[in-house]
Amino acid sequence: MLDFYTDVFSSETQLSKWYSSVYDSSALLYVPMQYAYDTQNNELINKFQKLFTYNTLLIVKKNSQADDLAKRTFYFTVSEYLRRSGIKGNAENTKMYDFIKSEVLYYWNKNPANIWDAESKKFYGVKQRIDYILSGNFNGNLSYYRAITDFELYVMGTGVSLLLIEKEAKQTITPDLVSIKDRFYQVLKKEVSIKDNKAWYLQPNIWRDHPDFQDVALEKSQSVNWDASHFSRMSAYLHLLKLNFQDDKIKYSYLGKLTTLLSNQLITNIAVYDSRSSIYTFNNYIDGNNSSFRSDIKDGKKGIQPSQNFEHIFIGWWKMLNTKEVDTMYERIENKFPYYAEQSAYITHDKGFFQEIVNLK
């Protein structure tokens, strides 16, 4: 997998053939990269050094086929590579850090930040849109016009990662990165709803009007919540925020609570274990709802059917929660991996790779 992506990102011509690699590699290689540095696996580290270079960043930015979200995703994973490998005394890594910081600060302060045209006002910079949402002001007639999306979350996640890089390198701290860290915490403090001290939801019901969620069947008192696949990234964000707030007991404690609750949601609401068969089934939503996802009712498209939105488990970002319960889940999946591989053409295509992800300790 690493050799394939190194070849893809070696030139603009190669990337034009495989432009989906900008998004795909960001998701697939995040956990292997963390593992490489956790275990100081020099063979893997050397491969990542060949893959993630300043030239790679230039090629990705120039590519017109990869969309903006894919690039934000890529910058996040590369920033995490820089955090783990370090920039101090490394000219190449410092150039990459400067590049990504420039991109993130442009997204944060200047880049047009509206997600939907019908939002109530024009926003320039993610900060402006986030602050408006946090203020509670009207942002349009449909619920999701005030939704915090992956477009903002990846920018904030990257900013939090960059701030850790600066601290580790003992550089002058960039005020805007501190602002990003603080805004991310405010989002989780103000926009999160904790239910019965057993689960938490980011902006519950915010997606109720969105076409992707129109096939969600609700029981009494249920809300429309995030799908499990997209929300798996929150595991990494919580990890990075906790690293940033280690010296603030109150905020660190709150982030720790969210981590514990999200781990509980994963193993109770999302991954449902049958002790008789030793097999998990997976629900599509973080609250245990197993309705279809991204159905297009207007066009008669069924979207992702119940229990089919589960490849995120095998990409492995949930491992960043670092809890015994999540470890146990993956150990059980490891024992029955051939069964799961048969359930998804996506997993079957790269079965060896996904088995390695599941096996990582």
PDB file of all heavy atoms in Angstrom, residues 139-154:
ATOM      1  N   ASN A 139     -28.979  30.851  10.872  1.00  0.00           N
ATOM      2  CA  ASN A 139     -28.119  30.657   9.705  1.00  0.00           C
ATOM      3  C   ASN A 139     -28.863  30.067   8.517  1.00  0.00           C
ATOM      4  O   ASN A 139     -28.258  29.513   7.607  1.00  0.00           O
ATOM      5  CB  ASN A 139     -26.920  29.770  10.064  1.00  0.00           C
ATOM      6  CG  ASN A 139     -25.787  29.939   9.072  1.00  0.00           C
ATOM      7  OD1 ASN A 139     -25.620  31.009   8.491  1.00  0.00           O
ATOM      8  ND2 ASN A 139     -25.016  28.896   8.851  1.00  0.00           N
ATOM      9  N   GLY A 140     -30.196  30.177   8.533  1.00  0.00           N
ATOM     10  CA  GLY A 140     -30.972  29.672   7.413  1.00  0.00           C
ATOM     11  C   GLY A 140     -32.093  28.762   7.879  1.00  0.00           C
ATOM     12  O   GLY A 140     -32.102  28.293   9.014  1.00  0.00           O
ATOM     13  N   ASN A 141     -33.027  28.489   6.994  1.00  0.00           N
ATOM     14  CA  ASN A 141     -34.247  27.774   7.373  1.00  0.00           C
ATOM     15  C   ASN A 141     -34.061  26.277   7.589  1.00  0.00           C
ATOM     16  O   ASN A 141     -34.879  25.648   8.263  1.00  0.00           O
ATOM     17  CB  ASN A 141     -35.327  27.988   6.300  1.00  0.00           C
ATOM     18  CG  ASN A 141     -35.829  29.410   6.289  1.00  0.00           C
ATOM     19  OD1 ASN A 141     -36.011  30.011   7.344  1.00  0.00           O
ATOM     20  ND2 ASN A 141     -36.045  29.973   5.105  1.00  0.00           N
ATOM     21  N   LEU A 142     -33.038  25.677   6.994  1.00  0.00           N
ATOM     22  CA  LEU A 142     -32.836  24.240   7.140  1.00  0.00           C
ATOM     23  C   LEU A 142     -31.808  23.952   8.235  1.00  0.00           C
ATOM     24  O   LEU A 142     -30.832  24.698   8.393  1.00  0.00           O
ATOM     25  CB  LEU A 142     -32.382  23.629   5.808  1.00  0.00           C
ATOM     26  CG  LEU A 142     -33.402  23.735   4.664  1.00  0.00           C
ATOM     27  CD1 LEU A 142     -32.852  23.121   3.382  1.00  0.00           C
ATOM     28  CD2 LEU A 142     -34.722  23.061   5.046  1.00  0.00           C
ATOM     29  N   SER A 143     -32.042  22.884   8.958  1.00  0.00           N
ATOM     30  CA  SER A 143     -31.227  22.587  10.147  1.00  0.00           C
ATOM     31  C   SER A 143     -29.739  22.524   9.838  1.00  0.00           C
ATOM     32  O   SER A 143     -28.918  23.066  10.589  1.00  0.00           O
ATOM     33  CB  SER A 143     -31.674  21.254  10.755  1.00  0.00           C
ATOM     34  OG  SER A 143     -31.473  20.183   9.830  1.00  0.00           O
ATOM     35  N   TYR A 144     -29.365  21.904   8.741  1.00  0.00           N
ATOM     36  CA  TYR A 144     -27.947  21.638   8.497  1.00  0.00           C
ATOM     37  C   TYR A 144     -27.164  22.871   8.035  1.00  0.00           C
ATOM     38  O   TYR A 144     -25.938  22.809   7.905  1.00  0.00           O
ATOM     39  CB  TYR A 144     -27.767  20.494   7.496  1.00  0.00           C
ATOM     40  CG  TYR A 144     -28.385  20.700   6.144  1.00  0.00           C
ATOM     41  CD1 TYR A 144     -27.670  21.289   5.105  1.00  0.00           C
ATOM     42  CD2 TYR A 144     -29.685  20.277   5.880  1.00  0.00           C
ATOM     43  CE1 TYR A 144     -28.225  21.462   3.851  1.00  0.00           C
ATOM     44  CE2 TYR A 144     -30.259  20.436   4.631  1.00  0.00           C
ATOM     45  CZ  TYR A 144     -29.524  21.025   3.614  1.00  0.00           C
ATOM     46  OH  TYR A 144     -30.088  21.189   2.375  1.00  0.00           O
ATOM     47  N   TYR A 145     -27.831  23.998   7.844  1.00  0.00           N
ATOM     48  CA  TYR A 145     -27.095  25.215   7.495  1.00  0.00           C
ATOM     49  C   TYR A 145     -26.165  25.661   8.620  1.00  0.00           C
ATOM     50  O   TYR A 145     -25.211  26.398   8.387  1.00  0.00           O
ATOM     51  CB  TYR A 145     -28.046  26.350   7.127  1.00  0.00           C
ATOM     52  CG  TYR A 145     -28.793  26.147   5.823  1.00  0.00           C
ATOM     53  CD1 TYR A 145     -29.962  26.842   5.550  1.00  0.00           C
ATOM     54  CD2 TYR A 145     -28.330  25.263   4.859  1.00  0.00           C
ATOM     55  CE1 TYR A 145     -30.650  26.657   4.356  1.00  0.00           C
ATOM     56  CE2 TYR A 145     -29.005  25.071   3.671  1.00  0.00           C
ATOM     57  CZ  TYR A 145     -30.174  25.765   3.422  1.00  0.00           C
ATOM     58  OH  TYR A 145     -30.849  25.579   2.237  1.00  0.00           O
ATOM     59  N   ARG A 146     -26.443  25.227   9.841  1.00  0.00           N
ATOM     60  CA  ARG A 146     -25.553  25.563  10.947  1.00  0.00           C
ATOM     61  C   ARG A 146     -24.743  24.347  11.421  1.00  0.00           C
ATOM     62  O   ARG A 146     -24.147  24.366  12.504  1.00  0.00           O
ATOM     63  CB  ARG A 146     -26.304  26.192  12.115  1.00  0.00           C
ATOM     64  CG  ARG A 146     -27.296  25.309  12.833  1.00  0.00           C
ATOM     65  CD  ARG A 146     -27.883  26.021  14.071  1.00  0.00           C
ATOM     66  NE  ARG A 146     -26.854  26.393  15.025  1.00  0.00           N
ATOM     67  CZ  ARG A 146     -26.393  25.581  15.977  1.00  0.00           C
ATOM     68  NH1 ARG A 146     -26.835  24.344  16.092  1.00  0.00           N
ATOM     69  NH2 ARG A 146     -25.468  26.013  16.808  1.00  0.00           N
ATOM     70  N   ALA A 147     -24.685  23.326  10.598  1.00  0.00           N
ATOM     71  CA  ALA A 147     -23.922  22.135  10.965  1.00  0.00           C
ATOM     72  C   ALA A 147     -22.427  22.401  10.879  1.00  0.00           C
ATOM     73  O   ALA A 147     -21.949  23.052   9.949  1.00  0.00           O
ATOM     74  CB  ALA A 147     -24.292  20.966  10.059  1.00  0.00           C
ATOM     75  N   ILE A 148     -21.692  21.877  11.847  1.00  0.00           N
ATOM     76  CA  ILE A 148     -20.238  21.834  11.779  1.00  0.00           C
ATOM     77  C   ILE A 148     -19.877  20.568  11.021  1.00  0.00           C
ATOM     78  O   ILE A 148     -20.317  19.470  11.373  1.00  0.00           O
ATOM     79  CB  ILE A 148     -19.631  21.854  13.188  1.00  0.00           C
ATOM     80  CG1 ILE A 148     -19.951  23.201  13.851  1.00  0.00           C
ATOM     81  CG2 ILE A 148     -18.132  21.611  13.145  1.00  0.00           C
ATOM     82  CD1 ILE A 148     -19.695  23.242  15.329  1.00  0.00           C
ATOM     83  N   THR A 149     -19.103  20.716   9.957  1.00  0.00           N
ATOM     84  CA  THR A 149     -18.865  19.630   9.015  1.00  0.00           C
ATOM     85  C   THR A 149     -17.390  19.229   8.989  1.00  0.00           C
ATOM     86  O   THR A 149     -16.547  19.843   9.648  1.00  0.00           O
ATOM     87  CB  THR A 149     -19.277  20.059   7.599  1.00  0.00           C
ATOM     88  OG1 THR A 149     -18.320  21.035   7.112  1.00  0.00           O
ATOM     89  CG2 THR A 149     -20.678  20.682   7.580  1.00  0.00           C
ATOM     90  N   ASP A 150     -17.089  18.222   8.177  1.00  0.00           N
ATOM     91  CA  ASP A 150     -15.691  17.801   8.013  1.00  0.00           C
ATOM     92  C   ASP A 150     -14.817  18.925   7.467  1.00  0.00           C
ATOM     93  O   ASP A 150     -13.608  18.946   7.715  1.00  0.00           O
ATOM     94  CB  ASP A 150     -15.608  16.595   7.073  1.00  0.00           C
ATOM     95  CG  ASP A 150     -15.965  15.298   7.788  1.00  0.00           C
ATOM     96  OD1 ASP A 150     -15.879  15.252   9.026  1.00  0.00           O
ATOM     97  OD2 ASP A 150     -16.324  14.318   7.109  1.00  0.00           O
ATOM     98  N   PHE A 151     -15.403  19.860   6.727  1.00  0.00           N
ATOM     99  CA  PHE A 151     -14.612  20.978   6.200  1.00  0.00           C
ATOM    100  C   PHE A 151     -13.994  21.794   7.340  1.00  0.00           C
ATOM    101  O   PHE A 151     -12.868  22.272   7.235  1.00  0.00           O
ATOM    102  CB  PHE A 151     -15.481  21.882   5.322  1.00  0.00           C
ATOM    103  CG  PHE A 151     -15.775  21.305   3.969  1.00  0.00           C
ATOM    104  CD1 PHE A 151     -16.910  20.553   3.753  1.00  0.00           C
ATOM    105  CD2 PHE A 151     -14.903  21.505   2.907  1.00  0.00           C
ATOM    106  CE1 PHE A 151     -17.183  20.004   2.503  1.00  0.00           C
ATOM    107  CE2 PHE A 151     -15.158  20.975   1.653  1.00  0.00           C
ATOM    108  CZ  PHE A 151     -16.305  20.226   1.452  1.00  0.00           C
ATOM    109  N   GLU A 152     -14.759  21.979   8.425  1.00  0.00           N
ATOM    110  CA  GLU A 152     -14.223  22.701   9.578  1.00  0.00           C
ATOM    111  C   GLU A 152     -13.412  21.783  10.488  1.00  0.00           C
ATOM    112  O   GLU A 152     -12.373  22.175  11.030  1.00  0.00           O
ATOM    113  CB  GLU A 152     -15.357  23.331  10.395  1.00  0.00           C
ATOM    114  CG  GLU A 152     -16.131  24.415   9.692  1.00  0.00           C
ATOM    115  CD  GLU A 152     -17.284  23.864   8.869  1.00  0.00           C
ATOM    116  OE1 GLU A 152     -17.733  22.731   9.143  1.00  0.00           O
ATOM    117  OE2 GLU A 152     -17.719  24.565   7.938  1.00  0.00           O
ATOM    118  N   LEU A 153     -13.889  20.567  10.686  1.00  0.00           N
ATOM    119  CA  LEU A 153     -13.247  19.658  11.631  1.00  0.00           C
ATOM    120  C   LEU A 153     -11.826  19.305  11.207  1.00  0.00           C
ATOM    121  O   LEU A 153     -10.910  19.256  12.049  1.00  0.00           O
ATOM    122  CB  LEU A 153     -14.085  18.391  11.790  1.00  0.00           C
ATOM    123  CG  LEU A 153     -15.426  18.589  12.516  1.00  0.00           C
ATOM    124  CD1 LEU A 153     -16.271  17.317  12.420  1.00  0.00           C
ATOM    125  CD2 LEU A 153     -15.219  18.971  13.973  1.00  0.00           C
ATOM    126  N   TYR A 154     -11.604  19.077   9.908  1.00  0.00           N
ATOM    127  CA  TYR A 154     -10.251  18.760   9.461  1.00  0.00           C
ATOM    128  C   TYR A 154      -9.309  19.957   9.617  1.00  0.00           C
ATOM    129  O   TYR A 154      -8.135  19.794   9.963  1.00  0.00           O
ATOM    130  CB  TYR A 154     -10.254  18.275   8.015  1.00  0.00           C
ATOM    131  CG  TYR A 154     -10.450  16.785   7.890  1.00  0.00           C
ATOM    132  CD1 TYR A 154     -11.530  16.253   7.215  1.00  0.00           C
ATOM    133  CD2 TYR A 154      -9.537  15.888   8.455  1.00  0.00           C
ATOM    134  CE1 TYR A 154     -11.712  14.881   7.107  1.00  0.00           C
ATOM    135  CE2 TYR A 154      -9.707  14.523   8.348  1.00  0.00           C
ATOM    136  CZ  TYR A 154     -10.802  14.023   7.672  1.00  0.00           C
ATOM    137  OH  TYR A 154     -10.974  12.671   7.575  1.00  0.00           O
TER     138      TYR A 154
END
